[in-house]
């Protein structure tokens, strides 16, 4: 398990060398906390910054400033991660396990509890079950997309302010 930052990727490469030297085969690498495709591209970020600068968005300026800052961070992080993920995949030590590199997205919450763990496990397989298949297997297992639907339910369900949307 690693995250795609310089030190972690370097340590993963060193570990893979040591495993190979000791004749231990590594079958998978789990790359955790990836900023996924829903992050803004550099062009989209420039467009958002332009809209924010000219004040054409009718939003609270402090909120807009925080939003632009958060977008800058995720876009920058995505670029860094793409660089190190590419390096990880290019290492000679990973050439035999390229099919075993599991890319796990950055999540909004920690994975705790059996249902969250079950949804998380779908990232570890190539073809996770469809929502219909999941529903037929376990009525309470939920969708295969991790947390998005749960966060929406929580936001809608917490409208009464009791904090108990789940």
């Amino acid at each position: 398990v690693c995250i795609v930052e310089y030190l972690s990727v370097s340590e993963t490469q060193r570990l893979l060398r040591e495993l190979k030297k000791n004749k231990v085969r590594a079958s998978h690498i789990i790359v955790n906390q990836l900023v996924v495709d829903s992050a803004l591209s550099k062009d989209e970020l420039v467009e958002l910054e332009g809209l924010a600068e000219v004040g054409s968005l009718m939003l609270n300026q402090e909120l807009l400033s925080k939003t632009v800052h958060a977008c800058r961070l995720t876009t920058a992080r995505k670029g860094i991660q793409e660089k190190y993920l590419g390096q990880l995949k290019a290492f000679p030590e990973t050439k035999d396990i390229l099919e075993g590199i599991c890319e796990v997205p950055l999540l909004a919450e920690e994975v705790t509890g059996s249902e969250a763990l079950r949804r998380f496990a779908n990232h570890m397989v190539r073809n996770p079950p469809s929502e219909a298949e999941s529903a037929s297997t376990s009525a309470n297992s939920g969708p295969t997309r991790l947390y998005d639907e749960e966060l929406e339910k929580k936001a809608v369900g917490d409208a009464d302010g009791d904090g108990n949307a789940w």
Side-chain angles (χ1 to χ4, degrees):
V1 177
C2 71
I3 55 175
V4 282
E5 292 182 357
Y6 173 77
L7 185 59
S8 183
V9 169
S10 297
E11 284 296 308
T12 299
Q13 183 182 28
R14 185 194 62 75
L15 174 62
L16 290 170
R17 282 183 191 145
E18 287 296 316
L19 290 172
K20 187 173 184 175
K21 183 172 99 175
N22 291 298
K23 297 181 175 82
V24 176
R25 183 178 178 268
S27 62
H28 291 80
I29 298 172
I30 298 172
V31 181
N32 207 0
Q33 301 179 2
L34 288 170
V35 176
V36 292
D37 294 332
S38 59
L40 295 179
S41 69
K42 289 180 181 179
D43 291 338
E44 291 169 327
L45 178 60
V46 168
E47 183 179 345
L48 177 63
E49 289 171 334
L51 291 171
E53 285 176 14
V54 297
S56 60
L57 298 177
M58 302 306 284
L59 296 172
N60 174 308
Q61 287 302 303
E62 183 179 350
L63 176 62
L64 185 57
S65 176
K66 288 179 180 181
T67 301
V68 169
H69 180 70
C71 290
R72 284 179 184 144
L73 289 175
T74 55
T75 300
R77 178 61 48 192
K78 182 179 177 182
I80 292 166
Q81 290 179 342
E82 287 172 346
K83 171 185 171 183
Y84 289 116
L85 184 60
Q87 287 179 6
L88 178 67
K89 288 179 176 182
F91 288 154
E93 295 82 6
T94 61
K95 71 178 172 78
D96 294 330
I97 57 174
L98 286 178
E99 291 300 312
I101 295 179
C102 301
E103 299 177 19
V104 181
L106 177 64
L107 305 174
E109 299 177 336
E110 291 183 321
V111 179
T112 57
S114 61
E115 294 306 317
L117 189 57
R118 188 173 290 116
R119 289 188 303 270
F120 180 81
N122 285 323
H123 291 285
M124 302 299 121
V125 294
R126 284 274 172 231
N127 297 306
S130 69
E131 289 186 36
E133 291 169 331
S134 292
S136 67
T137 306
S138 169
N140 297 320
S141 66
T144 58
R145 287 202 59 215
L146 198 55
Y147 291 115
D148 290 349
E149 291 83 5
E150 295 298 322
L151 290 173
E152 289 171 11
K153 286 181 200 173
K154 184 175 181 180
V156 170
D158 197 30
D160 60 5
D162 68 356
N164 295 320
W166 303 40

